[in-house]
């Protein structure tokens, strides 16, 4: 099971997250017309842990999660719920068959974002991002 699919499953089914974002959770980017509030997530780095003996069986997968809303207060509120749910989490992420066991999740801050309106009929979209490090077991390469 991939960390990405387990993360999506966790975000899309968590009792504190779904009242805010519902099904408006998108990998990479959201369609321009997607309803607010919404959540985007994307992988930004992966660093397997190694020792002099080789692969240690642990990886750190880093994601950038961004809570979007039509004002900065709404985006802040969405990001705070994400931080509360994910920071210092350990255990099963997601649910079968899309689940993995994580050692720990750490949440760091990231710059705020803004999508400026295209024209007078559009509204700005405010985003608050979190950098999320997910530490999980990983099978050693066989090659």
């Amino acid at each position: 099971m991939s960390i990405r699919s387990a993360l999506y499953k966790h975000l899309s089914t968590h009792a504190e997250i779904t009242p805010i974002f519902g099904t408006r959770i998108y990998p990479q980017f959201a369609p321009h017309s997607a309803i607010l509030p919404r959540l985007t997530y994307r992988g930004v780095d992966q660093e397997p842990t190694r020792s002099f003996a080789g692969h240690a069986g642990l990886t750190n997968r880093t994601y950038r999660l961004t809570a979007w809303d039509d004002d900065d207060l709404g985006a802040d509120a969405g990001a705070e719920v994400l931080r509360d749910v994910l920071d210092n989490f350990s255990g099963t992420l997601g649910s079968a068959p899309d689940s993995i066991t994580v050692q720990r999740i750490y949440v760091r801050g990231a710059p705020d974002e803004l999508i400026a309106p295209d024209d007078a009929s559009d509204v700005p979209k405010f985003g608050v991002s979190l950098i999320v490090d997910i530490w999980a077991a990983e099978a050693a390469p066989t090659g």
Side-chain angles (χ1 to χ4, degrees):
M1 181 49 47
S2 75
I3 294 174
R4 180 186 309 273
S5 58
L7 177 62
Y8 173 79
K9 186 72 155 194
H10 192 76
L11 295 171
S12 66
T13 60
H14 196 281
E16 293 179 54
I17 295 174
T18 55
I20 297 170
F21 301 109
T23 59
R24 298 174 308 277
I25 300 172
Y26 303 94
Q28 307 295 335
F29 60 91
H32 187 73
S33 61
I35 296 170
L36 296 169
R38 64 184 180 223
L39 171 62
T40 56
Y41 66 99
R42 63 186 172 103
V44 295
D45 193 21
Q46 182 164 353
E47 183 178 341
T49 304
R50 292 176 168 63
S51 70
F52 287 114
H55 193 280
L58 183 67
T59 191
N60 174 19
R61 183 73 166 115
T62 303
Y63 285 87
R64 182 180 187 132
L65 279 63
T66 306
W68 296 94
D69 210 334
D70 56 5
D71 63 33
D72 57 344
L73 295 177
D76 279 337
E80 280 305 309
V81 168
L82 291 170
R83 180 184 304 279
D84 290 345
V85 167
L86 295 173
D87 197 27
N88 213 32
F89 175 89
S90 65
T92 302
L93 185 69
S95 58
D98 300 319
S99 65
I100 60 165
T101 301
V102 299
Q103 306 299 316
R104 190 73 60 197
I105 296 177
Y106 298 107
V107 177
R108 300 179 274 144
D112 292 350
E113 303 198 30
L114 174 68
I115 298 176
D118 288 336
D119 56 44
S121 67
D122 198 6
V123 297
K125 294 162 186 72
F126 295 87
V128 175
S129 294
L130 302 172
I131 300 298
V132 177
D133 293 318
I134 302 175
W135 289 88
E138 176 181 67
T142 57

